[in-house]
Amino acid sequence: AQSVTQLGSHVSVSEGALVLLRCNYSSSVPPYLFWYVQYPNQGLQLLLKYTTGATLVKGINGFEAEFKKSETSFHLTKPSAHMSDAAEYFCAVSLMNTGFQKLVFGTGTRLLVSP
Amino acid sequence: DVKVTQSSRYLVKRTGEKVFLECVQDMDHENMFWYRQDPGLGLRLIYFSYDVKMKEKGDIPEGYSVSREKKERFSLILESASTNQTSMYLCATTLQGVFSYEQYFGPGTRLTVT
């Protein structure tokens, strides 16, 4: 069964520092992977997704993620954090063993950015 | 742009009340979902619908029911609200059968049951 593990419920960085949010997945078939961001009191917004092709995926707001099949990882990075990046981030994998497009989400990582 | 709206941003109800949460989308998506979000647990799927009047249970359907009478509208019903249903409820939509397609989310309803 597909599942997603996000390491670290909270990550703290200083403004300008590298952001690294970790996501590992388990899937018996090549997965489709997603990163979503949730700003306070809002719904989820797609940051980026991996489907096929290039393993380095670029998203909105300067974020990118690399699909590494050998490590079953899809970590999210941003070279320089901004105060506006403070939010909760969710990694998700698309379930492929049903006829419906369902997502399995990780438990989320809250990113804290200090001045 | 896909627009997914939810009927209320904040809702306070009493134990035992029947509660209706409504979701409306304007993109003609076949699939609609209801999740609840709790700290440390991420998003958990309650129910989803793949067509009008069609529904499937998700991972935590107990205490909930759903209704989809029109393609654009998907309602979540708490038959008799309990305090353990205090949570953030999120609606989402997506195209049917395209596994690489993302889900689009509404802004959420924060429900408090007292």
Side-chain angles (χ1 to χ4, degrees):
Chain A
Q2 283 99 333
S3 66
V4 174
T5 302
Q6 291 185 242
L7 289 174
S9 58
H10 291 80
V11 169
S12 295
V13 300
S14 299
E15 195 172 19
L18 171 73
V19 175
L20 171 61
L21 304 182
R22 298 177 187 275
C23 173
N24 288 88
Y25 68 90
S26 69
S27 175
S28 56
V29 297
Y32 295 143
L33 295 159
F34 304 81
W35 274 102
Y36 284 86
V37 60
Q38 185 181 35
Y39 298 105
N41 297 315
Q42 294 187 26
L44 275 67
Q45 176 184 356
L46 182 72
L47 265 182
L48 49 79
K49 66 179 181 182
Y50 170 78
T51 54
T52 57
T55 55
L56 182 63
V57 181
K58 295 187 186 298
I60 61 171
N61 301 337
F63 283 92
E64 61 184 36
E66 187 169 11
F67 169 63
K68 292 188 176 180
K69 186 178 177 181
S70 60
E71 299 176 9
T72 61
S73 69
F74 190 55
H75 301 331
L76 183 70
T77 59
K78 182 174 181 177
S80 176
H82 192 272
M83 296 294 290
S84 61
D85 295 326
E88 189 153 23
Y89 293 80
F90 293 92
C91 182
V93 62
S94 182
L95 282 180
M96 305 292 282
N97 59 348
T98 71
F100 307 106
Q101 200 266 42
K102 291 167 64 176
L103 295 179
V104 174
F105 287 86
T107 52
T109 298
R110 186 168 298 278
L111 177 65
L112 307 167
V113 183
S114 56
Chain B
D1 263 3
V2 175
K3 184 152 269 187
V4 183
T5 58
Q6 295 184 228
S7 49
S8 304
R9 294 300 305 275
Y10 300 93
L11 211 51
V12 180
K13 295 292 182 180
R14 294 197 181 276
T15 302
E17 279 193 81
K18 192 168 186 176
V19 181
F20 293 86
L21 303 182
E22 193 165 74
C23 175
V24 178
Q25 52 106 352
D26 68 356
M27 279 301 292
D28 205 34
H29 285 171
E30 297 86 357
N31 291 358
M32 297 187 75
F33 305 81
W34 275 107
Y35 296 92
R36 66 175 282 175
Q37 180 184 7
D38 300 289
L41 297 178
L43 276 73
R44 294 179 290 167
L45 182 64
I46 305 171
Y47 266 98
F48 71 98
S49 169
Y50 52 93
D51 203 348
V52 174
K53 298 191 186 295
M54 307 304 289
K55 61 186 179 185
E56 289 279 337
K57 291 180 180 179
D59 301 316
I60 52 164
E62 297 77 21
Y64 303 94
S65 62
V66 290
S67 172
R68 193 163 179 203
E69 297 297 318
K70 293 184 177 182
K71 189 174 185 178
E72 68 271 17
R73 197 177 297 266
F74 190 35
S75 300
L76 179 70
I77 304 157
L78 285 66
E79 297 290 344
S80 177
S82 64
T83 55
N84 62 14
Q85 292 179 309
T86 292
S87 188
M88 170 74 106
Y89 290 87
L90 292 164
C91 174
T93 76
T94 194
L95 285 174
Q96 166 72 327
V98 183
F99 288 87
S100 59
Y101 200 73
E102 60 266 35
Q103 292 186 11
Y104 289 86
F105 285 81
T109 296
R110 190 167 293 280
L111 173 67
T112 302
V113 183
T114 62

